[in-house]
Amino acid sequence: MTTRRTRPAPRPPEGTPPRTELAHQARAVLADAVRIAHWAAGSPGPGTAAPLAALAPERAAAALDLSPAQVRAGWDRARLAGLIELHGDTARPGWRLRAWDRDDSAVLRGWVALFDAWSLVHPAPEGIEAGAVAEAVEAVPQVLSLLQLSAGPVAVPALLDLLGQRVAELQEERCEVPLGPGRTATLAAPGVQAPADTATGPARGAGELNALLLDWALEGLAAVGALTLGNGHATLTPLGNWAVWVKLEQICVAAQSPAGNIEQAAADMLLGCARLTPGPARDEYRAWLAARTVGTAVAELLAVARGEDALLRGLAFEALRVVGAPAEPEVRAVLAEASLRPYALLWLAEYEGNDPDDAQDVLSREEATWLWVDTAAAVADHGETGLLVRHLDSAVQGTIPALLDEVRAVGHPRTVQVLVALAAAHPDPALAKAVRRAAFQVHTGGA
């Protein structure tokens, strides 16, 4: 039993439209993307869609009364919002497209995915060093916070000043020192060569560069419907105001939580959530994710999943479920890694709309057995002995001898430890003896 005091559900700022109206605005922003996704889904055959190159943007433009440039932009937005999902050389309608007309929550999640990807929707100006672009993207949340707290138009010079301050802080955190107009150097360790300056074009002063990057960021955020641009000022739209408030609220909730997981590294955060029930654990994951860029968070979670702790591996993929669509490319990329493949397959199956109870069907017998051993390792390291015994019931094999044969063959690095722990925990002496024999055979390499 816990004495943790529950916090009432926060209310959005006064004047925020109801969710139905916000969803209506999100549908308007993504109207072209939805039309293109429906058209593409129906072109090659039921339930599938070909890549845009195969569909010919000109043909789509003629059918939808759009320009080829609008078709390309709409296709990119459909992908970023989860309306279209790529699977190898083909694409399929995403679950959000199927739920678009009836599920306001799906619509808002799709728009937030597009909002988070604003820097992909509106490419950065050419000739700017990638590091400077990355710093600007990392500084934009501060700009959005000022816009949200101001609850009205904010002059561009004020936003530029804030962006410049945040970029300077980021450079100081990375131990960078100015070398001249528009150039910095990173303080390298002795014997380590500093990276070369990859910027092209004429050198720019810091103020000029920040002004160019701010214009790009504001135009990108306006392109996804998060703000409007006036004569020398910017204003958040109701959608943008709501999205920034949600992210700020997640950070505030995490900061007020006794565990303080928002400040923790991924491994410590996951361990702190290990004994929470699914609902509170997901709240902690969301708060932790809200305080980080998506790319950084996903990379950190996958790094933890590659470690030796099987419990953290499973929890890392639970946290990645909260990330959703932005994590899909990285999760798909780890399918070739044997230790992560079963988790990635289950994640992708649920992401593509399969019922969690049926997702196990995507695993081969060998993958299911590997996952059984990995889960047993997590239980042996962190759980109770009775839970390890009950874990036998979840094996896909119908008998203990069949399970032991396949466990011996699967090659999991923790097989011996799992079998020894299971033999020590099981109350049936005959079964415990058979498990110990199997552990000895794996350890000695015998048949």
Side-chain angles (χ1 to χ4, degrees), residues 153-426:
V154 178
V156 169
L159 299 176
L160 179 58
D161 183 58
L162 180 60
L163 180 76
Q165 291 179 29
R166 181 57 182 149
V167 168
E169 290 172 359
L170 293 170
Q171 293 174 349
E172 184 177 354
E173 290 170 4
R174 297 185 178 98
C175 297
E176 294 178 351
V177 294
L179 287 179
R183 300 179 63 227
T184 61
T186 301
L187 299 181
V192 179
Q193 184 177 359
D197 189 351
T198 58
T200 60
R204 297 184 178 92
E208 180 186 355
L209 179 61
N210 287 338
L212 185 62
L213 288 168
L214 177 64
D215 288 344
W216 164 65
L218 294 178
E219 290 168 2
L221 291 163
V224 299
L227 55 78
T228 58
L229 298 175
N231 186 16
H233 64 265
T235 310
L236 284 178
T237 64
L239 266 177
N241 186 70
W242 168 78
V244 176
W245 169 80
V246 168
K247 294 178 183 296
L248 289 172
E249 183 62 28
Q250 289 172 342
I251 294 173
C252 291
V253 169
Q256 294 174 8
S257 67
N261 287 316
I262 189 173
E263 302 291 342
Q264 303 296 324
D268 294 331
M269 180 275 294
L270 293 171
L271 282 176
C273 296
R275 295 192 177 276
L276 297 177
T277 55
R282 283 191 294 270
D283 290 341
E284 293 288 342
Y285 299 152
R286 290 189 187 98
W288 185 85
L289 292 164
R292 291 156 178 81
T293 61
V294 173
T296 299
V298 171
E300 193 173 344
L301 290 170
L302 287 175
V304 171
R306 293 186 178 97
E308 296 181 357
D309 194 324
L311 175 66
L312 293 184
R313 188 160 26 253
L315 291 174
F317 276 86
E318 287 299 319
L320 287 169
R321 285 178 171 83
V322 175
V323 178
E328 188 261 348
E330 286 77 8
V331 172
R332 196 173 296 280
V334 304
L335 287 174
E337 301 180 37
S339 63
L340 303 186
R341 180 176 174 81
Y343 293 95
L345 286 171
L346 292 176
W347 190 98
L348 290 167
E350 294 181 28
Y351 170 72
E352 291 166 5
N354 292 300
D355 189 285
D357 294 335
D358 300 329
Q360 293 277 346
D361 296 340
V362 304
L363 301 181
S364 68
R365 181 93 163 198
E366 183 178 2
E367 290 161 351
T369 303
W370 197 99
L371 183 61
W372 185 91
V373 179
D374 206 49
T375 306
V379 175
D381 290 342
H382 300 277
E384 301 173 355
T385 56
L387 185 58
L388 185 60
V389 173
R390 291 194 295 274
H391 183 56
L392 281 170
D393 295 334
S394 66
V396 296
Q397 295 78 7
T399 65
I400 296 298
L403 171 64
L404 295 178
D405 286 343
E406 296 185 32
V407 164
R408 285 199 298 262
V410 79
H412 193 289
R414 295 291 304 280
T415 298
V416 173
Q417 293 95 324
V418 164
L419 292 178
V420 169
L422 181 59
H426 206 284

